[in-house]
Amino acid sequence: MAALLEHESQVFLDLFHQDGLVICARGLGIDRLLLRFLRLYCEPASLVLVLNTSPPEEEYFIDQLRSDGVVHLPRRVTNEVTNNTRYEFYTQGGVIFATSRILVVDFLTDRIPADLITGILVYKAHRIIESCQEAFILRLYRQKNKHGFIKAFTDNAVAFNTGFCHVERVMRNLFVKKLYLWPRFHIAVNSFLEKHKPEVVEIHVSMTPAMLAIQTSILDILSACLRELKRYNPVLEVEDLSLENAIGKPFEKTIRHYLDPLWHQLGAKTKSLVQDLKILRTLLLYLTQYDCVTFLNLLESLKASEKAFGENSGWLFLDSSTSMFVNARARVYRIADEKLHQKGKGSEKSGVKKENELKRELVLESNPKWEALREVLKEIENENKNSEDFGGPGQVLICASDDRACAQLREYIIAGAEAFLTRLYNKTFGKDEKAAEVWIQDRKAVKSKGNAKPDGGPQAKKAKLTASSKQCKPKKQQDRTIIQMIGKTEEEKREKVEKEDSKELSSSQESSIEETIHEDFHVNLPSDCYYGVFKNPLTIIHPLQGCSDPYALTRVLHEVEPRYVVLYDAELTFVRQLEIYKASRPGKPLRVYFLIYGGSTEEQRYLTALRKEKEAFEKLIREKASMVIPEEREGRDETNFDLIRDANTASAVADTRKAGGQEQKSVQQTIVVDMREFRSELPSLIHRRGIDIEPVTLEVGDYILTPDTCVERKSISDLIGSLNNGRLYAQCVSMSRYYKRPVLLIEFDPNKPFSLIPHGSLCQEISSNDITSKLTLLTLHFPKLRILWCPSPHATAELFEELKQNHPQPDAETAMAVTADSEILPESDKYNPGPQDFLLKMPGVNAKNCRALMNHVKSIAELVTLSKDELHKILGNAANATQLFDFIHLTYGEAVSKEKNKR
C-alpha cells in the first residue's frame, strides 16, 4: 500500500484520535483513508465492523490488503455462515464486512458479542438517514457498547446540500461530535498538490458549425419544455429546475424529487414533458459523445416511431426542431439532385420511383475530437521515439465516458474516420427496408403539409446499396427502433438512463465491430473493461463509468502506470484521482491531455459539477461554524435521548379510573418479526418505540402482534405483483386458517402520493386487470381479513403499538410452528383444516351450520351414516339436510332422473 500523503496523514490522525465524520472532495482518496484504518485493525485482537460497502468494493479492499502482505485479512459474513457458528465467527476478531440485514438480526438476538466490538467504520456515510438499517445498527451498538469507536467517511459533499440541517441529522444518527471537512481548496490539500502538479495540456476543440447549430436548437427546445413544465405546475418555480441544471447528470433525481409526491395528480401533458426532457438530455449527450450517424439514427427514430411521435409534447413542431433535423442530416449526407426534389409532385407511383432514384452524397462529418485525439497520439509517438532519458517509451491510457465511446474510439484509431463512419452508415441506414418505407411515408406527410425543406427522405436505400461496396447482412435487432430500446431501459433502470441506453444501442454496433477489426489482444490487467489499441508501447482505452467494479479504473491506473493520460471526456473524480496518483509517485513524469469542446454543454456540465461541490463545501463550512452539538452526542453515557426507547411522553397522565391512578405493572411489549422483513425500515421504527423485536423465520405472515393477530405487509409494487401471481391469495388462506385476526397492511412510500390509483382512473366495471377489483374480490373471499392503509412506515409503527394495547404478547415458538401446510392448528381450535375445507364444499353446508355439524359428528365417515332426520336436527334446516343427504346417498343416475322429473 502506498504511503499516505501529507494531508491524508493529517486526516487519519485527526480521525484516529477523535471519532467523527470525514467529508472530503470527490477523487481525493476516501478509499485510501478507509484502507489505512482497515490495515490498522486487521488483527485478531480487535473486532471492527464495516458498514455500507458493496461486494465489488469489499473485493477491492481485500485485494489491496492482500497485496500489502496483511496476514489476517477482512472476512465477510454472508448467509453461508450458519446461525450457530456466527458467534464463534465474530469472536475470531479482525475486520468484518457484513450486510445490514444480518447485523441487525445478530444484534437483536445477541449472536454478536456487542461488548467486545472495538468499533464500527461507516463508508458512504451521507446515506445514513434515521430510518435506515445502518442507523438502526449504530443505535443498537451504542445501547450495548459505550466505549467502542464510530468513524464515518464520505466523498459526496453535494448530498448534504438538500434538506434542512442534513449534515447535523446524519451526525446525530452516526453518534459523532466532530465534523472534518477536506475540500479541494483546503490549504493543506491545495499547497501539497500544487507542488506535485502533473503536466496538463488543455485542448479546447471547436465544434463544427452544424454541431453548434444542433446544440443551440436542443437548448432552445429544453428551455421551452422547462417553461411549459413550470407553466403547468407553478410549484416547480424553483432554482433547481434551471437550464444549467437541466444539462447536468443529477437533473433526473431533482425533477423526480419535486414531482414524485404529486405524480398521481399530474396531467398527461406534464408527464409527456418530463419524458421529453429525458429524450432531449440524451440527444445532448449523444451530440458530444458519439458520431454523426449514431446521433442521426436516434433523432430519426423519434419521428419514425409512431408511439414516440404520438407521445411527443409538441417540441417536434418547433422551428428549432426543424433546424436540428436539417443540420443533423447535413452532417451525414446531402441530396445530390435538388431539381428532382422540387419536381417530385407527380403521381404516387412516380413519386415513389423518384424517391428511390434520388441519391445521397455521403458527407459523414468526422468528430472534431477524433482529429484532436489523432494529433495527440502522433505527438506521444514522436516523444516515445526519443524517450531514452525516461527509461523507454511511456504507456498511454485513454479515458472515454462509457463502453460505446471506447469501442468507437478504438475502431476510429485502427480503421480511420471514413472507413468507420461508412461501415456504421451502411449498418444503420443501408439495408433496413422497413425504415425505407417509413422514410417514404414521412416524406409524403411533409410534402402534403406544404413544407418544402430539402428533407433527406427515403431516397434511398436501393440507390445507396448499388453504390455501396460493403454489404452487411440485416439483423433482426435493427427492426427495433431506438426509442423502443430507450423505453425498455428506462423501465428497467430509470436511474441509469444514459449509461444503459448506450449499452442497449451499441449491442448491434459492437457485434459488427468484431466483424471488421482484428481480435482484441489481452493484457493481464485487473479490469476486463479495457479496449486494447497498441501493444508497444501499451495503449489502452478505458471507460470512466459503467464498469461492474467501481475501482476498475483505479486498478488499471496503478497496474499500467501510464506516462500519458488522454481524457477524451471530462470527469471530475478521475481528474482528482490523477492529481493524487501523480503526488504519490514523485519524480515520475505524467502528462494529462484534456480534450473538451469549447463553449459546449459538455464543458458547462463539468464546470457546474465543480461549482456545485465548491458551494456544498462552503455551506458545510458555514453550518459547522454555527452547529450546536450536545455533549452527550456520542452516547457514551445514559444521557443521550436518541438511545432511549420509549414512546410514552413525559406529560402522559396516569389513568385515574384504574384504582385511583396507581401505577400499573407494565408488560414489555413484543412483536415477532419475519427475518426477511429486515430489508425494510419498519423493524427499526418499531424498536425505537420501545417494543422488543423477536426475529424468526415465519412461514405465515410477516409480523405477529398478538397470539391472534397476524400481519402481512405489502409495499405497493409488492401488492400489485402478488395480486397478479396469486401469491397474496395463498397467504390470506394461510393467515385466515391459523389466526383469528388476519391483517393485510398496505404501506406507501412517504415520498410518493398516498393514493393507490390516479384520480379519475377508477374503473366502473370489475376487471381482471384492475387492482381495486382484485382487492374487492380478496375482501369478498376472506370476510375476516382486515386491511390497513398506512402512508409511511412511521404511521405503521404507531398503529402497531395501538393494536397491541391490552393484548397478550405473541410467542415466537408458536409462530414458527405455524406453516402453510401444517395440519396442527393452535390449541384453541380443535378441528383439522383439511376435512373442514372439504365439508364446506358439500351442498347444504355453509359457514353458519358448519360448526354445529363438526360439534356433533367426529368424522366424515360418521357423517355418511346419519339419516335425513338426524341431519335435519343438527343443521336446523330441512332443505339443507335434504341437499346434503342426497349429495351423499344418491347415485349419479338417480340424481339425473330426479332432475328430469322436476322439469
Side-chain angles (χ1 to χ4, degrees):
M1 188 190 293
L4 287 181
L5 307 177
E6 271 178 33
H7 64 278
E8 289 176 333
S9 303
Q10 196 180 328
V11 184
F12 175 78
L13 290 170
D14 286 350
L15 193 58
F16 178 72
H17 290 304
Q18 188 169 7
D19 294 358
L21 165 63
V22 172
I23 305 175
C24 81
R26 277 192 183 284
L28 281 191
I30 199 82
D31 49 324
R32 289 161 59 92
L33 186 61
L34 180 61
L35 262 171
R36 180 57 57 173
F37 275 104
L38 295 179
R39 171 87 179 79
L40 184 67
Y41 295 114
C42 273
E43 52 187 26
S46 58
L47 171 58
V48 174
L49 304 175
V50 185
L51 300 184
N52 242 353
T53 48
S54 63
E57 287 166 344
E58 291 162 14
E59 198 62 54
Y60 170 74
F61 292 136
I62 292 169
D63 283 352
Q64 293 294 312
L65 292 166
R66 189 182 289 118
S67 63
D68 200 33
V70 173
V71 181
H72 202 79
L73 288 169
R75 292 166 301 145
R76 292 177 180 173
V77 179
T78 59
N79 295 334
E80 290 163 19
V81 182
T82 55
N83 293 348
N84 39 7
T85 60
R86 216 157 295 153
Y87 188 88
E88 220 174 284
F89 187 89
Y90 289 124
T91 48
Q92 288 169 10
V95 173
I96 288 175
F97 294 114
T99 62
S100 305
R101 192 169 71 89
I102 288 174
L103 275 182
V104 167
V105 173
D106 287 354
F107 266 112
L108 288 169
T109 52
D110 289 325
R111 254 185 234 130
I112 188 166
D115 52 324
L116 298 180
I117 296 174
T118 316
I120 294 183
L121 300 171
V122 185
Y123 199 45
K124 291 182 267 199
H126 58 276
R127 295 184 183 171
I128 307 297
I129 56 167
E130 186 189 358
S131 54
C132 73
Q133 293 297 342
E134 288 73 25
F136 188 19
I137 291 166
L138 292 169
R139 199 165 72 239
L140 290 169
Y141 164 67
R142 261 295 169 252
Q143 281 166 358
K144 298 180 179 188
N145 182 328
K146 302 290 182 190
H147 53 267
F149 66 75
I150 295 174
K151 302 184 193 300
F153 312 81
T154 183
D155 62 353
N156 190 346
V158 182
F160 294 98
N161 227 349
T162 55
F164 178 69
C165 292
H166 193 130
V167 70
E168 204 169 334
R169 281 182 291 147
V170 168
M171 288 170 68
R172 183 176 167 182
N173 296 329
L174 287 166
F175 299 100
V176 295
K177 285 202 294 190
K178 292 288 283 182
L179 176 62
Y180 302 103
L181 299 174
W182 287 85
R184 173 65 179 81
F185 56 81
H186 191 293
I187 192 156
V189 180
N190 202 25
S191 59
F192 176 72
L193 292 179
E194 282 297 311
K195 289 181 208 163
H196 303 277
K197 275 203 304 193
E199 184 189 346
V200 180
V201 181
E202 274 195 37
I203 302 171
H204 284 265
V205 184
S206 298
M207 294 169 85
T208 63
M211 285 174 79
L212 272 171
I214 292 169
Q215 180 181 283
T216 310
S217 300
I218 297 176
L219 290 176
D220 284 348
I221 299 167
L222 257 176
S223 180
C225 284
L226 281 171
R227 276 200 307 276
E228 194 80 348
L229 194 63
K230 289 176 182 177
R231 188 165 71 80
Y232 279 97
N233 306 280
V235 70
L236 296 180
E237 281 292 348
V238 283
E239 288 176 20
D240 294 353
L241 299 182
S242 63
L243 186 59
E244 184 189 352
N245 289 336
I247 298 165
K249 280 182 185 167
F251 184 71
E252 304 272 310
K253 281 184 182 173
T254 311
I255 202 157
R256 202 172 307 149
H257 168 73
Y258 285 109
L259 290 179
D260 265 355
L262 2 141
W263 192 253
H264 65 305
Q265 297 169 357
L266 299 178
K269 182 78 172 172
T270 303
K271 289 180 179 177
S272 78
L273 279 167
V274 171
Q275 184 66 20
D276 286 342
L277 284 173
K278 208 177 281 184
I279 291 169
L280 289 164
R281 282 160 44 78
T282 309
L283 281 171
L284 212 46
L285 204 71
Y286 271 49
L287 180 66
T288 51
Q289 271 187 10
Y290 306 125
D291 57 276
C292 57
V293 178
T294 308
F295 180 78
L296 181 66
N297 191 20
L298 173 62
L299 200 55
E300 291 293 2
S301 68
L302 297 178
K303 274 194 174 180
S305 159
E306 248 178 74
K307 184 170 177 284
F309 197 72
E311 285 175 0
N312 186 274
S313 61
W315 65 264
L316 273 176
F317 310 110
L318 296 175
D319 291 344
S320 303
S321 169
T322 310
S323 152
M324 173 168 65
F325 273 90
V326 169
N327 282 299
R329 287 169 186 157
R331 289 177 71 203
V332 180
Y333 58 78
R334 67 170 175 268
I335 294 169
D337 197 345
E338 284 294 332
K339 287 174 189 173
L340 261 176
H341 174 70
Q342 288 160 8
K343 287 177 188 173
K345 293 178 183 177
S347 68
E348 200 173 314
K349 284 184 184 176
S350 62
V352 173
K353 274 185 189 174
K354 282 173 186 173
E355 297 288 1
N356 286 328
E357 283 163 15
L358 285 176
K359 288 189 181 179
R360 293 177 180 177
E361 277 181 24
L362 292 189
V363 177
L364 298 178
E365 178 181 276
S366 174
N367 206 327
K369 261 196 193 179
W370 291 354
E371 309 303 329
L373 178 64
R374 181 150 289 216
E375 284 172 26
V376 165
L377 290 175
K378 273 183 191 167
E379 185 182 316
I380 291 170
E381 194 182 342
N382 292 336
E383 283 196 15
N384 274 336
K385 285 174 186 170
N386 316 312
S387 58
E388 283 76 28
D389 305 346
F390 299 118
Q395 323 261 46
V396 184
L397 174 65
I398 303 168
C399 292
S401 59
D402 56 24
D403 264 339
R404 186 175 194 180
C406 293
Q408 286 198 353
L409 286 183
R410 178 169 177 264
E411 190 173 358
Y412 162 71
I413 293 167
I414 291 172
E418 198 177 336
F420 165 50
L421 288 172
T422 307
R423 186 198 62 72
L424 194 57
Y425 179 84
N426 289 339
K427 181 130 197 93
T428 313
F429 296 112
K431 209 176 176 186
D432 193 343
E433 298 296 337
K434 287 187 182 176
E437 289 166 21
V438 173
W439 277 67
I440 291 165
Q441 288 161 10
D442 181 38
R443 169 107 171 167
K444 282 180 201 155
V446 170
K447 278 184 185 169
S448 65
K449 286 175 190 168
N451 186 345
K453 75 181 165 77
D455 188 34
Q459 53 278 24
K461 317 307 181 197
K462 288 182 185 171
K464 173 74 211 62
L465 285 170
T466 50
S468 158
S469 58
K470 190 169 183 179
Q471 301 286 329
C472 298
K473 286 192 178 177
K475 302 208 174 174
K476 282 190 180 176
Q477 184 117 15
Q478 289 296 105
D479 294 346
R480 285 170 62 200
T481 65
I482 293 191
I483 280 297
Q484 285 166 345
M485 295 183 193
I486 290 176
K488 184 181 173 195
T489 51
E490 279 167 1
E491 281 162 28
E492 285 168 3
K493 273 193 181 177
R494 289 175 73 194
E495 295 278 330
K496 300 179 180 176
V497 176
E498 288 93 343
K499 200 190 300 175
E500 294 297 316
D501 283 352
S502 58
K503 280 189 186 173
E504 279 274 337
L505 290 161
S506 60
S507 55
S508 59
Q509 178 191 325
E510 279 170 21
S511 62
S512 59
I513 287 172
E514 286 162 21
E515 296 164 19
T516 53
I517 303 187
H518 329 294
E519 274 295 305
D520 199 352
F521 57 84
H522 290 284
V523 191
N524 189 20
L525 286 181
S527 161
D528 299 328
C529 303
Y530 71 90
Y531 292 77
V533 184
F534 305 120
K535 260 191 174 171
N536 204 7
L538 181 63
T539 304
I540 60 169
I541 309 175
H542 200 285
L544 290 161
Q545 295 144 352
C547 305
S548 54
D549 176 8
Y551 292 103
L553 194 51
T554 314
R555 290 172 191 257
V556 168
L557 190 63
H558 289 281
E559 183 90 7
V560 174
E561 295 198 338
R563 189 182 303 161
Y564 305 101
V565 176
V566 183
L567 286 174
Y568 184 82
D569 288 302
E571 216 250 333
L572 181 61
T573 311
F574 188 60
V575 171
R576 300 251 178 82
Q577 218 173 318
L578 286 172
E579 288 187 291
I580 297 291
Y581 168 72
K582 171 72 177 84
S584 60
R585 298 162 70 251
K588 292 190 180 178
L590 173 69
R591 182 183 298 166
V592 179
Y593 290 93
F594 199 87
L595 304 183
I596 199 156
Y597 284 117
S600 69
T601 51
E602 179 193 30
E603 185 180 35
Q604 185 59 52
R605 204 178 292 130
Y606 180 76
L607 295 173
T608 304
L610 264 175
R611 178 179 61 77
K612 286 214 163 161
E613 190 185 73
K614 185 168 177 282
E615 283 173 3
F617 269 113
E618 285 168 354
K619 185 183 172 188
L620 285 169
I621 290 164
R622 285 195 301 274
E623 275 190 37
K624 184 181 176 182
S626 60
M627 203 183 283
V628 178
I629 295 172
E631 192 57 42
E632 68 277 0
R633 167 61 58 79
E634 291 192 348
R636 293 185 188 272
D637 47 33
E638 297 302 327
T639 52
N640 188 328
F641 292 121
D642 289 330
L643 293 175
I644 296 170
R645 293 176 52 217
D646 194 6
N648 297 333
T649 53
S651 60
V653 182
D655 188 354
T656 53
R657 287 184 178 190
K658 292 181 181 173
Q662 67 187 33
E663 279 191 29
Q664 303 295 313
K665 279 187 182 177
S666 60
V667 180
Q668 177 55 47
Q669 300 283 330
T670 310
I671 291 180
V672 178
V673 182
D674 183 30
M675 290 280 197
R676 288 159 292 225
E677 277 298 301
F678 284 93
R679 292 190 184 95
S680 75
E681 56 196 70
L682 184 54
S684 155
L685 298 171
I686 292 170
H687 185 268
R688 187 74 182 264
R689 298 190 77 85
I691 300 171
D692 277 353
I693 287 175
E694 284 196 57
V696 294
T697 305
L698 296 176
E699 274 203 40
V700 177
D702 293 328
Y703 297 85
I704 311 297
L705 305 186
T706 70
D708 295 337
T709 313
C710 169
V711 178
E712 180 69 38
R713 187 188 74 91
K714 295 284 178 198
S715 63
I716 297 301
S717 55
D718 195 14
L719 175 74
I720 294 166
S722 51
L723 275 172
N724 287 341
N725 62 21
R727 195 171 82 246
L728 185 56
Y729 181 85
Q731 288 169 332
C732 289
V733 167
S734 304
M735 286 200 298
S736 304
R737 178 172 287 167
Y738 299 108
Y739 293 95
K740 284 182 184 171
R741 276 192 286 279
V743 177
L744 172 64
L745 165 72
I746 299 173
E747 193 177 82
F748 288 76
D749 183 340
N751 300 319
K752 300 274 173 74
F754 185 37
S755 166
L756 190 60
I757 51 169
H759 289 318
S761 63
L762 193 62
C763 274
Q764 296 296 319
E765 298 295 322
I766 283 194
S767 146
S768 60
N769 299 324
D770 186 35
I771 184 169
T772 47
S773 300
K774 287 181 179 174
L775 277 175
T776 310
L777 290 170
L778 195 71
T779 49
L780 288 171
H781 268 89
F782 303 100
K784 286 201 295 181
L785 184 69
R786 298 286 172 266
I787 299 181
L788 298 179
W789 302 83
C790 289
S792 70
H794 290 268
T796 309
E798 192 177 337
L799 201 56
F800 277 7
E801 190 178 17
E802 287 174 14
L803 288 171
K804 281 187 63 60
Q805 280 176 10
N806 306 323
H807 284 286
Q809 304 310 311
D811 178 43
E813 295 295 324
T814 314
M816 282 172 72
V818 175
T819 59
D821 50 359
S822 63
E823 288 295 313
I824 302 150
L825 284 165
E827 286 172 16
S828 59
D829 206 336
K830 53 189 176 183
Y831 306 115
N832 286 347
Q836 188 175 338
D837 289 347
F838 182 74
L839 196 61
L840 278 165
K841 295 282 187 286
M842 287 185 169
V845 181
N846 54 40
K848 290 176 184 173
N849 58 27
C850 179
R851 184 93 17 186
L853 193 60
M854 289 191 293
N855 285 339
H856 284 85
V857 184
K858 283 183 183 174
S859 64
I860 287 174
E862 189 183 327
L863 174 67
V864 174
T865 63
L866 296 180
S867 68
K868 194 184 286 189
D869 293 341
E870 287 171 318
L871 284 174
H872 183 188
K873 277 182 194 172
I874 296 168
L875 297 176
N877 183 305
N880 286 346
T882 309
Q883 263 187 310
L884 182 57
F885 185 82
D886 288 351
F887 173 71
I888 295 170
H889 297 285
L890 282 186
T891 62
Y892 178 70
E894 288 171 336
V896 171
S897 62
K898 191 175 178 182
E899 190 63 32
K900 280 179 183 174
N901 293 338
K902 270 187 186 177
R903 286 177 190 167

